[in-house]
Every structure is written in structure tokens, then in C-alpha cells.
């Protein structure tokens, strides 16, 4: 695309030839659509925002993990106290004899599955490694690059060990209630979700869980689920030929008229208008 914003290596890596660096986003503000001269791992710590990756919208919050290739086009919008870290790296500068492509989705090919989730256990381990990596990547001594790359390899393995598909509730059996709840919501896009039943099953306080969710994500549980459904609807409207009523059903709305009302309120246009605009833009 003409005039596309491209993030350059020289602006983000402190030293020439450096393979890995950490770009903190405390907070991540609205950021225009862009590509890169490097790849990045994106790990969300708290808050929420709209992350649009290759024209697919994701409502992101605590625990969301993305593998971004250099050629991927993405942007951030509708952010609310969104805190994340970008671990940026240049595959051509990596020197360790490691099969990076086997552990980083889409590194040498199609995007595959760029979006994952990571629970509290994995986040705690990843945070420690990232802190060390950030410290090493800022140094200028002869071993700094190798130390940073070694820590990057440790981070890549840590994320691979702990990551799971966004709707894989079984993977969260040993994680916190908040991890289980977010994953259960992601798996409820096409059906109703009963928080009371979830809390009864997990033997927890509904009020305490609501408060914890809002504290960590900046949203109510209902708002988050609604945003997940709207994002899924936007994707289906752009990439499928299904009728709007069928899409409403797939996104958990039994009434297509109600779906249109909610969609218009959240997006600012009707589902039909959004479908037309997105396809013209493509």
C-alpha cells in the first residue's frame, strides 16, 4: 500500500547488527497501521484495546500473545490502560544454532496461528526472562548480543511451553480463575455464557471475580464478551458470504435485529455498511 508506515530497524535497535531488543509500551497508545523491518512478539500485561492484525480485529487484554512477522500489517485502537511489551527481533541476525521456525509460528511462512493466550504461570516466568533480556539488550559489551539472544531463546521456549489457543479451556486447569474465565468467554462466542454457573463450578465468589476482571482488564465481563463477539462478526462479515442473520447466530445473538443494534452502537455503522466499506477498502 502506498504510503504505508514502516517501522525501521535503525529506529528501534540501539546498536547496528543487534538481533533482539525490548520495546516497552507503558501504556500502548493508539498506533496507526504499519509494517516493520523486523519481527516481534507481543505480550499484553493489562488493560484492553483493539488490535487489528492483517485486517482481522482482536479485542485484546491480559494474557494475549501475538507472533508478528515483518510483513504483517497491524494497528492499535480503542485502547484503555493497555500495557504490553514488544520483543523485537531480526531473524537474519540470529546466530544461535536453533530451529527458530519450529518454535515461532509463521516465522518462515504463512501467518498460521499468530494469536495465542498465556496464563498467569507462564506470564510470571516470561516477565522474569524479559526483564533480563531488556537489561542485556541495553548493554554494549562484547557478550551483550549473545547473552540477549540466549535469553530470547529461553523466552521463545517459555512461551511455547505455556501458550494455548484462546478458547482452549482445558489448557487452563492449573491456571488462575481469571485465566479460566477469559478463556471460557473466548469459547462462548456462539452461545450464551452464564457467569453464575461458571462461579458455581469453580466454587468462587461472583462479585470478587467481577471486581478482579475489571481491575485487570478495564472492562466488565459482559462488555468484554460483547467485544469478542463483535470482532468475530466483523471478521465473518468481511471474509464470508454468510447472511447477516447467520453471522448473528454464530456470534451469540439469537435476534438479528438486536445484533444490528449492538453492532451499530459499538462500531458506528450497521453490519451491512461495515461489510461494504471493508470490502471496498480491501
Amino acid at each position: 500500500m502506498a504510503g504505508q508506515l514502516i517501522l525501521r530497524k535503525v529506529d528501534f535497535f540501539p546498536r547496528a547488527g543487534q538481533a533482539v531488543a525490548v520495546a516497552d509500551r507503558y501504556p500502548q497508545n493508539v498506533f496507526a497501521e504499519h509494517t516493520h523491518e523486523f519481527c516481534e512478539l507481543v505480550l499484553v500485561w493489562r488493560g484492553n484495546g483493539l488490535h487489528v492484525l492483517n485486517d482481522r480485529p482482536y479485542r485484546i487484554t491480559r494474557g494475549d500473545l501475538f507472533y508478528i512477522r515483518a510483513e504483517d500489517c497491524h494497528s492499535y485502537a480503542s485502547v484503555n490502560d493497555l500495557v504490553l511489551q514488544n520483543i523485537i527481533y531480526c531473524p537474519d541476525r540470529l546466530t544461535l544454532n536453533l530451529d527458530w521456525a519450529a518454535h515461532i509460528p509463521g516465522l518462515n511462512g504463512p501467518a498460521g496461528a499468530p494469536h495465542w493466550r498465556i496464563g498467569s504461570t507462564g506470564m510470571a516466568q516470561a516477565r522474569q526472562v524479559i526483564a533480563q533480556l531488556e537489561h542485556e539488550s541495553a548493554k554494549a559489551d562484547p557478550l551483550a548480543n549473545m547473552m540477549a539472544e540466549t535469553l530470547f531463546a529461553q523466552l521463545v521456549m517459555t512461551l511455547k511451553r505455556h501458550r494455548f489457543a484462546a478458547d482452549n479451556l482445558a489448557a487452563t486447569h492449573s491456571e488462575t480463575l481469571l485465566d479460566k474465565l477469559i478463556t471460557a468467554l473466548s469459547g462462548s462466542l456462539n452461545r450464551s455464557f452464564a457467569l453464575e454457573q461458571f462461579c458455581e463450578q469453580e466454587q468462587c465468589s461472583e462479585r470478587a471475580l467481577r471486581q478482579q476482571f475489571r481491575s485487570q482488564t478495564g472492562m466488565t465481563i459482559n462488555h468484554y464478551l460483547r467485544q469478542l463477539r463483535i470482532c468475530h462478526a466483523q471478521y465473518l462479515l468481511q471474509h464470508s458470504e454468510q447472511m447477516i442473520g447467520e453471522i448473528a447466530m454464530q456470534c451469540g445473538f439469537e435476534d438479528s435485529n438486536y445484533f444490528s443494534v449492538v453492532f451499530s452502537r459499538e462500531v458506528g455503522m450497521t453490519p451491512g455498511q461495515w461489510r461494504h466499506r471493508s470490502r471496498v477498502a480491501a
Side-chain angles (χ1 to χ4, degrees):
M1 181 184 297
Q4 177 72 60
L5 175 63
I6 302 175
L7 304 190
R8 306 290 182 183
K9 294 177 183 177
V10 66
D11 297 320
F12 287 85
F13 290 88
R15 300 181 306 278
Q18 187 174 359
V20 187
V22 178
D24 293 324
R25 295 292 182 264
Y26 296 118
Q28 171 67 62
N29 296 316
V30 170
F31 203 103
E33 190 174 68
H34 62 279
T35 59
H36 325 75
E37 290 183 340
F38 48 83
C39 302
E40 62 185 8
L41 307 180
V42 178
L43 184 55
V44 183
W45 297 114
R46 62 171 293 116
N48 70 85
L50 182 66
H51 182 208
V52 182
L53 173 61
N54 296 329
D55 292 327
R56 180 163 190 165
Y58 298 87
R59 175 55 62 172
I60 58 174
T61 191
R62 176 188 184 277
D64 278 306
L65 167 67
F66 289 88
Y67 293 84
I68 310 293
R69 304 169 302 165
E71 63 268 29
D72 287 331
C73 184
H74 70 142
S75 62
Y76 294 95
S78 303
V79 297
N80 176 24
D81 190 30
L82 180 62
V83 174
L84 55 81
Q85 280 182 306
N86 294 335
I87 296 82
I88 60 177
Y89 64 99
C90 300
D92 58 305
R93 295 178 178 177
L94 296 171
T95 60
L96 283 180
N97 186 22
L98 179 69
D99 186 1
W100 296 100
H103 309 295
I104 299 178
L107 183 65
N108 294 328
H115 177 219
W116 300 76
R117 283 197 54 78
I118 184 167
S120 297
T121 303
M123 289 178 71
Q125 294 184 20
R127 190 189 292 270
Q128 292 181 350
V129 180
I130 293 171
Q132 296 177 59
L133 172 56
E134 186 169 21
H135 182 68
E136 284 295 336
S137 64
K139 291 183 177 180
D141 67 74
L143 289 178
N145 282 349
M146 184 56 68
M147 286 292 292
E149 188 175 340
T150 301
L151 287 164
F152 179 62
Q154 183 181 349
L155 175 63
V156 166
M157 295 301 180
T158 298
L159 295 177
K160 183 178 181 180
R161 169 177 281 177
H162 292 283
R163 73 192 181 206
F164 51 87
D167 59 353
N168 183 7
L169 186 58
T172 66
H173 69 278
S174 62
E175 299 293 347
T176 69
L177 278 171
L178 190 58
D179 297 319
K180 292 180 180 180
L181 175 59
I182 292 175
T183 305
L185 292 169
S186 296
S188 302
L189 296 184
N190 62 348
R191 59 181 184 274
S192 62
F193 176 80
L195 181 61
E196 181 180 353
Q197 183 178 342
F198 176 88
C199 291
E200 182 178 340
Q201 178 181 321
E202 297 297 332
Q203 298 183 334
C204 66
S205 164
E206 180 177 334
R207 180 180 179 183
L209 188 56
R210 286 184 184 277
Q211 291 175 338
Q212 184 186 15
F213 187 92
R214 186 156 196 165
S215 172
Q216 290 294 315
T217 69
M219 294 178 286
T220 65
I221 294 170
N222 288 340
H223 184 206
Y224 178 65
L225 180 56
R226 186 165 62 249
Q227 287 292 312
L228 289 180
R229 288 174 170 166
I230 292 299
C231 285
H232 187 46
Q234 288 176 300
Y235 177 77
L236 293 176
L237 285 165
Q238 183 173 358
H239 297 282
S240 80
E241 298 301 327
Q242 297 179 74
M243 301 292 289
I244 290 175
E246 295 174 319
I247 291 175
M249 291 290 289
Q250 285 196 36
C251 296
F253 295 90
E254 295 183 3
D255 186 308
S256 60
N257 290 327
Y258 178 64
F259 165 67
S260 294
V261 169
V262 173
F263 189 97
S264 299
R265 184 177 67 229
E266 297 291 339
V267 180
M269 61 186 76
T270 68
Q273 290 170 335
W274 195 91
R275 168 176 268 175
H276 176 73
R277 193 193 72 164
S278 63
R279 292 186 174 182
V280 169

